[in-house]
Amino acid sequence: MTGFNPCIAFGYRALTIALEARQRPVTAGEIEAFEIYARDLVPDDALAMAAVSAFAADAPEDPEGAGLALFHFVCDWKDGAVRSDAERTAQLLREDLPRGFDAWQREAGHG
């Protein structure tokens, strides 16, 4: 069994909020929680922290654009460690599944 990898954990959380923002406006509380999570997991990763800051600044006015930018960052960050999962998830959201991120989570058994 492998240990906890903070970069992978951050990558999947960033992917989650990026996809949420592309489907619906994210709340100030969700943005703040993401910022705290990032500071806890990858505080010394300047690129990740810059992406988090940009997302936090842009999401209130343009959640879809902020989510797309964060999605692309996650796909390229750390040599694309979560790219295949990110792209597959985005594909599933475009397919004929119940509309929206929350419905997708229910379909996937996460809510």
Side-chain angles (χ1 to χ4, degrees):
M1 180 173 192
T2 61
F4 177 76
N5 184 322
C7 291
I8 296 296
F10 167 77
Y12 282 114
R13 180 62 190 113
L15 171 62
T16 300
I17 199 164
L19 292 169
E20 287 174 333
R22 291 178 65 191
Q23 296 292 316
R24 62 167 176 81
V26 290
T27 67
E30 289 171 317
I31 295 168
E32 182 180 3
F34 177 55
E35 290 176 301
I36 292 167
Y37 192 76
R39 280 194 305 267
D40 287 347
L41 291 180
V42 291
D44 298 326
D45 189 313
L47 290 175
M49 294 310 297
V52 170
S53 293
F55 176 81
D58 296 342
E61 295 297 319
D62 182 14
E64 188 172 343
L68 185 60
L70 185 60
F71 178 85
H72 286 299
F73 168 78
V74 170
C75 285
D76 293 334
W77 184 66
K78 298 290 181 185
D79 296 322
V82 299
R83 179 181 291 125
S84 63
D85 288 336
E87 291 170 348
R88 176 69 179 138
T89 302
Q91 177 185 350
L92 286 171
L93 288 171
R94 287 189 302 270
E95 289 178 2
D96 189 23
L97 294 176
R99 181 148 170 77
F101 185 81
D102 293 330
W104 172 83
Q105 282 194 318
R106 285 191 302 277
E107 180 78 18
H110 297 292

CSV table of all heavy atoms in Angstrom, one decimal, residues 23-80:
chain,number,residue,atom,x,y,z
A,23,GLN,N,-20.0,23.7,-14.2
A,23,GLN,CA,-21.4,23.3,-14.2
A,23,GLN,C,-22.4,24.3,-13.5
A,23,GLN,O,-23.5,24.4,-13.9
A,23,GLN,CB,-21.6,21.9,-13.6
A,23,GLN,CG,-20.9,20.8,-14.3
A,23,GLN,CD,-21.6,20.5,-15.7
A,23,GLN,OE1,-22.8,20.5,-15.8
A,23,GLN,NE2,-20.7,20.4,-16.7
A,24,ARG,N,-21.8,25.0,-12.5
A,24,ARG,CA,-22.7,25.9,-11.7
A,24,ARG,C,-21.7,26.8,-11.0
A,24,ARG,O,-20.6,26.5,-10.7
A,24,ARG,CB,-23.5,25.1,-10.7
A,24,ARG,CG,-22.6,24.3,-9.7
A,24,ARG,CD,-23.4,23.8,-8.5
A,24,ARG,NE,-22.6,23.0,-7.6
A,24,ARG,CZ,-21.8,23.5,-6.7
A,24,ARG,NH1,-21.6,24.8,-6.5
A,24,ARG,NH2,-21.0,22.7,-5.9
A,25,PRO,N,-22.3,28.0,-10.5
A,25,PRO,CA,-21.4,28.9,-9.7
A,25,PRO,C,-21.0,28.2,-8.4
A,25,PRO,O,-21.8,27.5,-7.8
A,25,PRO,CB,-22.3,30.1,-9.5
A,25,PRO,CG,-23.4,30.0,-10.6
A,25,PRO,CD,-23.6,28.6,-10.9
A,26,VAL,N,-19.8,28.4,-8.1
A,26,VAL,CA,-19.3,27.8,-6.8
A,26,VAL,C,-19.5,28.9,-5.7
A,26,VAL,O,-19.4,30.1,-6.0
A,26,VAL,CB,-17.9,27.3,-6.8
A,26,VAL,CG1,-17.8,26.1,-7.7
A,26,VAL,CG2,-16.9,28.4,-7.4
A,27,THR,N,-19.7,28.5,-4.5
A,27,THR,CA,-20.0,29.5,-3.4
A,27,THR,C,-18.6,30.0,-2.9
A,27,THR,O,-17.6,29.4,-3.1
A,27,THR,CB,-20.7,28.8,-2.3
A,27,THR,OG1,-19.9,27.8,-1.7
A,27,THR,CG2,-22.0,28.2,-2.8
A,28,ALA,N,-18.7,31.1,-2.2
A,28,ALA,CA,-17.6,31.7,-1.6
A,28,ALA,C,-17.0,30.7,-0.6
A,28,ALA,O,-15.8,30.6,-0.4
A,28,ALA,CB,-17.9,33.0,-0.9
A,29,GLY,N,-17.8,30.0,0.1
A,29,GLY,CA,-17.4,29.0,1.1
A,29,GLY,C,-16.6,27.9,0.4
A,29,GLY,O,-15.6,27.4,1.0
A,30,GLU,N,-17.1,27.4,-0.8
A,30,GLU,CA,-16.4,26.4,-1.5
A,30,GLU,C,-15.0,26.9,-2.0
A,30,GLU,O,-14.0,26.1,-1.9
A,30,GLU,CB,-17.2,25.9,-2.7
A,30,GLU,CG,-18.4,25.1,-2.3
A,30,GLU,CD,-19.3,24.9,-3.5
A,30,GLU,OE1,-19.6,25.8,-4.3
A,30,GLU,OE2,-19.8,23.7,-3.6
A,31,ILE,N,-14.9,28.1,-2.4
A,31,ILE,CA,-13.7,28.7,-2.9
A,31,ILE,C,-12.7,28.8,-1.7
A,31,ILE,O,-11.5,28.4,-1.8
A,31,ILE,CB,-13.9,30.0,-3.5
A,31,ILE,CG1,-14.7,29.9,-4.8
A,31,ILE,CG2,-12.6,30.7,-3.8
A,31,ILE,CD1,-15.2,31.2,-5.4
A,32,GLU,N,-13.2,29.3,-0.6
A,32,GLU,CA,-12.3,29.4,0.6
A,32,GLU,C,-11.8,28.1,1.1
A,32,GLU,O,-10.7,27.9,1.4
A,32,GLU,CB,-13.1,30.1,1.7
A,32,GLU,CG,-12.2,30.3,3.0
A,32,GLU,CD,-13.0,31.0,4.1
A,32,GLU,OE1,-14.2,31.4,3.9
A,32,GLU,OE2,-12.4,31.3,5.1
A,33,ALA,N,-12.7,27.1,1.1
A,33,ALA,CA,-12.3,25.7,1.5
A,33,ALA,C,-11.2,25.2,0.6
A,33,ALA,O,-10.3,24.5,1.1
A,33,ALA,CB,-13.5,24.8,1.6
A,34,PHE,N,-11.4,25.4,-0.7
A,34,PHE,CA,-10.4,25.0,-1.7
A,34,PHE,C,-9.0,25.7,-1.4
A,34,PHE,O,-8.0,25.0,-1.5
A,34,PHE,CB,-10.9,25.2,-3.1
A,34,PHE,CG,-9.9,24.9,-4.2
A,34,PHE,CD1,-9.3,23.6,-4.2
A,34,PHE,CD2,-9.5,25.8,-5.1
A,34,PHE,CE1,-8.4,23.3,-5.2
A,34,PHE,CE2,-8.6,25.5,-6.1
A,34,PHE,CZ,-8.1,24.2,-6.2
A,35,GLU,N,-9.1,27.0,-1.1
A,35,GLU,CA,-7.8,27.7,-0.9
A,35,GLU,C,-7.1,27.1,0.4
A,35,GLU,O,-5.9,26.9,0.4
A,35,GLU,CB,-8.1,29.2,-0.6
A,35,GLU,CG,-8.5,29.9,-1.9
A,35,GLU,CD,-8.9,31.4,-1.6
A,35,GLU,OE1,-9.8,31.6,-0.8
A,35,GLU,OE2,-8.2,32.2,-2.2
A,36,ILE,N,-7.9,26.9,1.4
A,36,ILE,CA,-7.3,26.3,2.7
A,36,ILE,C,-6.7,24.9,2.4
A,36,ILE,O,-5.6,24.6,2.8
A,36,ILE,CB,-8.4,26.2,3.8
A,36,ILE,CG1,-8.7,27.7,4.2
A,36,ILE,CG2,-7.9,25.4,4.9
A,36,ILE,CD1,-10.0,27.8,5.1
A,37,TYR,N,-7.5,24.1,1.6
A,37,TYR,CA,-7.0,22.7,1.3
A,37,TYR,C,-5.7,22.8,0.6
A,37,TYR,O,-4.7,22.1,0.9
A,37,TYR,CB,-8.1,22.1,0.5
A,37,TYR,CG,-7.9,20.6,0.2
A,37,TYR,CD1,-8.2,19.7,1.2
A,37,TYR,CD2,-7.5,20.1,-1.0
A,37,TYR,CE1,-8.0,18.3,1.0
A,37,TYR,CE2,-7.3,18.7,-1.2
A,37,TYR,CZ,-7.6,17.9,-0.2
A,37,TYR,OH,-7.4,16.5,-0.4
A,38,ALA,N,-5.6,23.7,-0.4
A,38,ALA,CA,-4.4,23.9,-1.2
A,38,ALA,C,-3.2,24.3,-0.3
A,38,ALA,O,-2.1,23.8,-0.4
A,38,ALA,CB,-4.6,24.9,-2.3
A,39,ARG,N,-3.5,25.3,0.6
A,39,ARG,CA,-2.4,25.8,1.5
A,39,ARG,C,-1.9,24.7,2.4
A,39,ARG,O,-0.8,24.6,2.8
A,39,ARG,CB,-2.9,27.0,2.3
A,39,ARG,CG,-2.8,28.3,1.5
A,39,ARG,CD,-3.0,29.5,2.5
A,39,ARG,NE,-4.2,29.4,3.3
A,39,ARG,CZ,-5.3,30.0,2.9
A,39,ARG,NH1,-5.5,30.6,1.8
A,39,ARG,NH2,-6.4,29.9,3.7
A,40,ASP,N,-2.8,23.8,2.8
A,40,ASP,CA,-2.5,22.7,3.7
A,40,ASP,C,-1.6,21.6,2.9
A,40,ASP,O,-0.8,21.0,3.5
A,40,ASP,CB,-3.7,22.0,4.3
A,40,ASP,CG,-4.4,22.8,5.3
A,40,ASP,OD1,-3.8,23.8,5.8
A,40,ASP,OD2,-5.5,22.5,5.7
A,41,LEU,N,-2.0,21.4,1.6
A,41,LEU,CA,-1.4,20.3,0.9
A,41,LEU,C,-0.1,20.6,0.1
A,41,LEU,O,0.8,19.9,0.0
A,41,LEU,CB,-2.4,19.6,0.0
A,41,LEU,CG,-3.5,18.8,0.7
A,41,LEU,CD1,-4.4,18.2,-0.3
A,41,LEU,CD2,-2.9,17.7,1.6
A,42,VAL,N,-0.2,21.8,-0.6
A,42,VAL,CA,0.9,22.1,-1.5
A,42,VAL,C,1.4,23.6,-1.3
A,42,VAL,O,1.5,24.3,-2.3
A,42,VAL,CB,0.5,21.8,-3.0
A,42,VAL,CG1,0.4,20.4,-3.3
A,42,VAL,CG2,-0.8,22.6,-3.3
A,43,PRO,N,1.6,24.0,-0.1
A,43,PRO,CA,2.0,25.4,0.2
A,43,PRO,C,3.2,25.9,-0.5
A,43,PRO,O,3.3,27.1,-0.8
A,43,PRO,CB,2.1,25.4,1.7
A,43,PRO,CG,2.6,24.0,2.1
A,43,PRO,CD,1.8,23.1,1.1
A,44,ASP,N,4.1,25.0,-0.8
A,44,ASP,CA,5.4,25.4,-1.4
A,44,ASP,C,5.4,25.2,-3.0
A,44,ASP,O,6.4,25.5,-3.6
A,44,ASP,CB,6.6,24.6,-0.8
A,44,ASP,CG,6.7,24.8,0.7
A,44,ASP,OD1,6.4,25.9,1.1
A,44,ASP,OD2,7.1,23.9,1.4
A,45,ASP,N,4.3,24.8,-3.5
A,45,ASP,CA,4.2,24.7,-5.0
A,45,ASP,C,3.7,26.0,-5.6
A,45,ASP,O,2.5,26.3,-5.5
A,45,ASP,CB,3.3,23.5,-5.4
A,45,ASP,CG,3.3,23.2,-6.8
A,45,ASP,OD1,3.2,24.2,-7.7
A,45,ASP,OD2,3.5,22.0,-7.2
A,46,ALA,N,4.6,26.9,-6.0
A,46,ALA,CA,4.2,28.2,-6.5
A,46,ALA,C,3.2,28.1,-7.7
A,46,ALA,O,2.3,29.0,-7.7
A,46,ALA,CB,5.4,29.0,-6.9
A,47,LEU,N,3.4,27.2,-8.6
A,47,LEU,CA,2.4,27.1,-9.7
A,47,LEU,C,1.0,26.7,-9.2
A,47,LEU,O,0.0,27.3,-9.7
A,47,LEU,CB,2.9,26.0,-10.7
A,47,LEU,CG,4.2,26.4,-11.5
A,47,LEU,CD1,4.6,25.2,-12.4
A,47,LEU,CD2,3.9,27.6,-12.4
A,48,ALA,N,0.9,25.7,-8.3
A,48,ALA,CA,-0.4,25.3,-7.8
A,48,ALA,C,-1.0,26.5,-7.1
A,48,ALA,O,-2.2,26.7,-7.3
A,48,ALA,CB,-0.2,24.1,-6.9
A,49,MET,N,-0.3,27.2,-6.2
A,49,MET,CA,-0.8,28.2,-5.4
A,49,MET,C,-1.3,29.4,-6.4
A,49,MET,O,-2.3,30.0,-6.1
A,49,MET,CB,0.1,28.7,-4.4
A,49,MET,CG,0.4,27.6,-3.3
A,49,MET,SD,-1.1,26.9,-2.6
A,49,MET,CE,-1.8,28.3,-1.8
A,50,ALA,N,-0.5,29.7,-7.4
A,50,ALA,CA,-0.9,30.7,-8.4
A,50,ALA,C,-2.2,30.3,-9.1
A,50,ALA,O,-3.1,31.2,-9.3
A,50,ALA,CB,0.2,30.9,-9.4
A,51,ALA,N,-2.4,29.0,-9.4
A,51,ALA,CA,-3.6,28.6,-10.1
A,51,ALA,C,-4.8,28.7,-9.1
A,51,ALA,O,-5.9,29.1,-9.5
A,51,ALA,CB,-3.4,27.1,-10.6
A,52,VAL,N,-4.6,28.4,-7.9
A,52,VAL,CA,-5.6,28.5,-6.9
A,52,VAL,C,-6.0,30.0,-6.7
A,52,VAL,O,-7.2,30.3,-6.7
A,52,VAL,CB,-5.2,27.9,-5.5
A,52,VAL,CG1,-6.1,28.2,-4.4
A,52,VAL,CG2,-5.0,26.4,-5.6
A,53,SER,N,-5.0,30.8,-6.6
A,53,SER,CA,-5.3,32.3,-6.5
A,53,SER,C,-6.1,32.8,-7.7
A,53,SER,O,-7.0,33.6,-7.5
A,53,SER,CB,-4.0,33.1,-6.3
A,53,SER,OG,-3.4,32.7,-5.1
A,54,ALA,N,-5.7,32.4,-8.9
A,54,ALA,CA,-6.4,32.9,-10.1
A,54,ALA,C,-7.8,32.3,-10.1
A,54,ALA,O,-8.8,33.1,-10.4
A,54,ALA,CB,-5.6,32.4,-11.3
A,55,PHE,N,-8.0,31.1,-9.7
A,55,PHE,CA,-9.4,30.5,-9.6
A,55,PHE,C,-10.2,31.3,-8.6
A,55,PHE,O,-11.3,31.7,-8.9
A,55,PHE,CB,-9.3,29.0,-9.3
A,55,PHE,CG,-10.7,28.4,-9.1
A,55,PHE,CD1,-11.4,28.0,-10.2
A,55,PHE,CD2,-11.2,28.3,-7.9
A,55,PHE,CE1,-12.6,27.4,-10.1
A,55,PHE,CE2,-12.5,27.7,-7.7
A,55,PHE,CZ,-13.2,27.3,-8.8
A,56,ALA,N,-9.7,31.5,-7.5
A,56,ALA,CA,-10.4,32.2,-6.4
A,56,ALA,C,-10.8,33.6,-6.8
A,56,ALA,O,-11.9,34.1,-6.5
A,56,ALA,CB,-9.6,32.3,-5.1
A,57,ALA,N,-9.9,34.3,-7.6
A,57,ALA,CA,-10.2,35.7,-8.0
A,57,ALA,C,-11.2,35.7,-9.2
A,57,ALA,O,-12.1,36.6,-9.2
A,57,ALA,CB,-8.9,36.3,-8.5
A,58,ASP,N,-11.2,34.7,-10.1
A,58,ASP,CA,-12.0,34.7,-11.2
A,58,ASP,C,-13.4,34.0,-11.1
A,58,ASP,O,-14.3,34.3,-11.7
A,58,ASP,CB,-11.3,34.1,-12.4
A,58,ASP,CG,-10.0,34.8,-12.8
A,58,ASP,OD1,-9.9,36.0,-12.4
A,58,ASP,OD2,-9.2,34.3,-13.5
A,59,ALA,N,-13.4,33.0,-10.2
A,59,ALA,CA,-14.6,32.2,-10.1
A,59,ALA,C,-15.9,33.0,-9.7
A,59,ALA,O,-17.0,32.6,-10.2
A,59,ALA,CB,-14.4,31.1,-9.1
A,60,PRO,N,-15.9,34.0,-8.8
A,60,PRO,CA,-17.1,34.7,-8.5
A,60,PRO,C,-17.8,35.4,-9.8
A,60,PRO,O,-19.0,35.4,-9.9
A,60,PRO,CB,-16.7,35.7,-7.5
A,60,PRO,CG,-15.5,35.1,-6.8
A,60,PRO,CD,-14.8,34.4,-8.0
A,61,GLU,N,-17.0,35.9,-10.7
A,61,GLU,CA,-17.5,36.6,-11.8
A,61,GLU,C,-17.7,35.7,-13.1
A,61,GLU,O,-18.5,35.9,-13.9
A,61,GLU,CB,-16.6,37.8,-12.2
A,61,GLU,CG,-16.6,38.8,-11.1
A,61,GLU,CD,-18.0,39.5,-10.9
A,61,GLU,OE1,-18.7,39.7,-11.9
A,61,GLU,OE2,-18.3,39.7,-9.8
A,62,ASP,N,-16.8,34.7,-13.2
A,62,ASP,CA,-16.7,33.8,-14.4
A,62,ASP,C,-16.4,32.4,-14.0
A,62,ASP,O,-15.4,31.9,-14.2
A,62,ASP,CB,-15.7,34.3,-15.4
A,62,ASP,CG,-15.7,33.5,-16.7
A,62,ASP,OD1,-16.6,32.7,-16.9
A,62,ASP,OD2,-14.7,33.6,-17.4
A,63,PRO,N,-17.4,31.7,-13.3
A,63,PRO,CA,-17.1,30.4,-12.8
A,63,PRO,C,-16.7,29.4,-13.9
A,63,PRO,O,-15.8,28.6,-13.7
A,63,PRO,CB,-18.4,30.0,-12.1
A,63,PRO,CG,-19.4,30.9,-12.6
A,63,PRO,CD,-18.8,32.2,-13.0
A,64,GLU,N,-17.4,29.5,-15.0
A,64,GLU,CA,-17.1,28.5,-16.1
A,64,GLU,C,-15.7,28.7,-16.6
A,64,GLU,O,-14.9,27.8,-16.8
A,64,GLU,CB,-18.1,28.6,-17.2
A,64,GLU,CG,-17.9,27.5,-18.2
A,64,GLU,CD,-19.1,27.5,-19.3
A,64,GLU,OE1,-20.1,28.1,-19.1
A,64,GLU,OE2,-18.9,26.9,-20.3
A,65,GLY,N,-15.3,30.0,-16.9
A,65,GLY,CA,-13.9,30.3,-17.3
A,65,GLY,C,-12.9,29.9,-16.3
A,65,GLY,O,-11.8,29.4,-16.6
A,66,ALA,N,-13.2,30.2,-15.0
A,66,ALA,CA,-12.2,29.9,-14.0
A,66,ALA,C,-12.1,28.4,-13.8
A,66,ALA,O,-11.0,27.9,-13.7
A,66,ALA,CB,-12.7,30.5,-12.6
A,67,GLY,N,-13.2,27.7,-14.0
A,67,GLY,CA,-13.1,26.2,-13.9
A,67,GLY,C,-12.4,25.6,-15.0
A,67,GLY,O,-11.6,24.7,-14.9
A,68,LEU,N,-12.6,26.2,-16.2
A,68,LEU,CA,-11.8,25.7,-17.4
A,68,LEU,C,-10.3,25.9,-17.3
A,68,LEU,O,-9.5,25.0,-17.6
A,68,LEU,CB,-12.4,26.3,-18.7
A,68,LEU,CG,-11.8,25.8,-20.0
A,68,LEU,CD1,-12.1,24.3,-20.2
A,68,LEU,CD2,-12.4,26.6,-21.2
A,69,ALA,N,-10.0,27.1,-16.8
A,69,ALA,CA,-8.5,27.4,-16.6
A,69,ALA,C,-7.9,26.5,-15.6
A,69,ALA,O,-6.8,25.9,-15.8
A,69,ALA,CB,-8.4,28.8,-16.2
A,70,LEU,N,-8.6,26.2,-14.5
A,70,LEU,CA,-8.1,25.3,-13.4
A,70,LEU,C,-8.0,23.9,-14.0
A,70,LEU,O,-7.1,23.2,-13.7
A,70,LEU,CB,-9.0,25.4,-12.2
A,70,LEU,CG,-8.5,24.6,-11.0
A,70,LEU,CD1,-7.1,25.0,-10.5
A,70,LEU,CD2,-9.5,24.7,-9.8
A,71,PHE,N,-9.0,23.5,-14.7
A,71,PHE,CA,-9.0,22.1,-15.3
A,71,PHE,C,-7.8,21.9,-16.2
A,71,PHE,O,-7.1,20.9,-16.1
A,71,PHE,CB,-10.3,22.0,-16.2
A,71,PHE,CG,-10.4,20.6,-16.9
A,71,PHE,CD1,-10.9,19.5,-16.2
A,71,PHE,CD2,-10.0,20.5,-18.2
A,71,PHE,CE1,-11.0,18.3,-16.8
A,71,PHE,CE2,-10.1,19.3,-18.8
A,71,PHE,CZ,-10.5,18.2,-18.2
A,72,HIS,N,-7.5,22.9,-17.0
A,72,HIS,CA,-6.3,22.8,-17.9
A,72,HIS,C,-5.0,22.8,-17.1
A,72,HIS,O,-4.1,22.1,-17.4
A,72,HIS,CB,-6.3,23.9,-19.0
A,72,HIS,CG,-7.3,23.7,-20.0
A,72,HIS,ND1,-7.3,22.6,-20.9
A,72,HIS,CD2,-8.4,24.4,-20.4
A,72,HIS,CE1,-8.3,22.6,-21.7
A,72,HIS,NE2,-9.0,23.7,-21.5
A,73,PHE,N,-5.0,23.6,-16.0
A,73,PHE,CA,-3.8,23.6,-15.2
A,73,PHE,C,-3.6,22.2,-14.6
A,73,PHE,O,-2.5,21.6,-14.6
A,73,PHE,CB,-3.9,24.6,-14.0
A,73,PHE,CG,-2.9,24.4,-13.0
A,73,PHE,CD1,-1.6,24.8,-13.2
A,73,PHE,CD2,-3.2,23.7,-11.8
A,73,PHE,CE1,-0.6,24.6,-12.2
A,73,PHE,CE2,-2.2,23.5,-10.8
A,73,PHE,CZ,-0.9,24.0,-11.0
A,74,VAL,N,-4.7,21.6,-14.0
A,74,VAL,CA,-4.6,20.3,-13.4
A,74,VAL,C,-4.1,19.2,-14.4
A,74,VAL,O,-3.3,18.4,-14.1
A,74,VAL,CB,-5.9,19.9,-12.7
A,74,VAL,CG1,-5.9,18.4,-12.3
A,74,VAL,CG2,-6.2,20.8,-11.6
A,75,CYS,N,-4.6,19.3,-15.6
A,75,CYS,CA,-4.2,18.4,-16.7
A,75,CYS,C,-2.7,18.4,-17.0
A,75,CYS,O,-2.1,17.4,-17.3
A,75,CYS,CB,-5.0,18.6,-17.9
A,75,CYS,SG,-6.7,18.0,-17.8
A,76,ASP,N,-2.1,19.6,-16.9
A,76,ASP,CA,-0.7,19.7,-17.2
A,76,ASP,C,0.2,19.7,-16.0
A,76,ASP,O,1.4,19.4,-16.2
A,76,ASP,CB,-0.5,21.1,-17.9
A,76,ASP,CG,-1.2,21.1,-19.3
A,76,ASP,OD1,-1.4,20.0,-19.9
A,76,ASP,OD2,-1.5,22.2,-19.8
A,77,TRP,N,-0.3,19.9,-14.8
A,77,TRP,CA,0.5,20.0,-13.6
A,77,TRP,C,1.1,18.6,-13.3
A,77,TRP,O,0.5,17.6,-13.4
A,77,TRP,CB,-0.4,20.5,-12.5
A,77,TRP,CG,0.2,20.8,-11.2
A,77,TRP,CD1,1.2,21.7,-10.9
A,77,TRP,CD2,-0.1,20.1,-9.9
A,77,TRP,NE1,1.5,21.7,-9.5
A,77,TRP,CE2,0.7,20.7,-9.0
A,77,TRP,CE3,-0.9,19.1,-9.6
A,77,TRP,CZ2,0.7,20.3,-7.6
A,77,TRP,CZ3,-1.0,18.6,-8.3
A,77,TRP,CH2,-0.2,19.2,-7.3
A,78,LYS,N,2.3,18.7,-12.8
A,78,LYS,CA,3.0,17.4,-12.3
A,78,LYS,C,3.0,16.4,-13.4
A,78,LYS,O,2.7,15.2,-13.2
A,78,LYS,CB,2.4,16.9,-11.0
A,78,LYS,CG,2.5,17.8,-9.8
A,78,LYS,CD,3.9,17.9,-9.4
A,78,LYS,CE,4.0,18.8,-8.2
A,78,LYS,NZ,5.3,19.1,-7.7
A,79,ASP,N,3.4,16.8,-14.6
A,79,ASP,CA,3.5,15.9,-15.7
A,79,ASP,C,2.2,15.1,-16.0
A,79,ASP,O,2.2,14.0,-16.5
A,79,ASP,CB,4.6,14.8,-15.5
A,79,ASP,CG,6.0,15.5,-15.4
A,79,ASP,OD1,6.2,16.5,-16.2
A,79,ASP,OD2,6.8,15.0,-14.6
A,80,GLY,N,1.1,15.8,-15.8
A,80,GLY,CA,-0.2,15.2,-16.1
A,80,GLY,C,-0.6,14.1,-15.3
A,80,GLY,O,-1.3,13.1,-15.8
